Amino acid sequence: MVALYGLGDQAGFRDYFQGAMCWLHDHVVKLGASIIGRWPTERYDFEDAKATNEDNSEFCCLGIDELQQSERTEKRLNKWVDQAAQDLKEACE
């Protein structure tokens, strides 16, 4: 099981915010990993993100943008760690 997070700039890279996370996600899934710790896209402002699901409602990772939304990082990170821990616990039961 893998939980991914990525740093990005949703204003400067609006067309491919969190793009590297898409590549990493696809690579580890091909190797047999399960992904935990998905994160909602609400309260982000971007045009396209390859690291989202089909309806763009969640990322395959926690997206952190220290340039545009640094005030949200600590709260997002704390909530994401708790969520990933719960996902892991449920998967191991």
Side-chain angles (χ1 to χ4, degrees):
M1 290 194 196
V2 176
L4 303 171
Y5 68 92
L7 300 173
D9 175 2
Q10 60 194 308
F13 298 93
R14 296 184 61 75
D15 293 335
Y16 48 92
F17 179 59
Q18 297 296 325
M21 290 298 97
C22 175
W23 177 87
L24 187 56
H25 169 274
D26 292 349
H27 186 71
V28 298
V29 167
K30 283 180 188 174
L31 294 173
S34 298
I35 303 297
I36 60 172
R38 297 181 182 280
W39 189 254
T41 59
E42 64 190 47
R43 300 192 73 193
Y44 290 87
D45 185 21
F46 58 91
E47 291 295 320
D48 189 24
K50 303 293 185 223
T52 60
N53 61 355
E54 297 79 27
D55 66 359
N56 290 328
S57 65
E58 67 180 7
F59 292 112
C60 66
C61 61
L62 170 62
I64 297 173
D65 185 345
E66 280 294 291
L67 294 174
Q68 310 304 322
Q69 297 180 336
S70 61
E71 72 283 355
R72 296 180 181 165
T73 297
E74 185 175 354
K75 185 175 180 180
R76 283 177 173 162
L77 187 56
N78 289 333
K79 187 173 179 180
W80 178 77
V81 167
D82 290 344
Q83 174 188 315
Q86 183 63 35
D87 290 350
L88 182 60
K89 180 181 176 184
E90 289 173 8
C92 291
E93 290 178 338

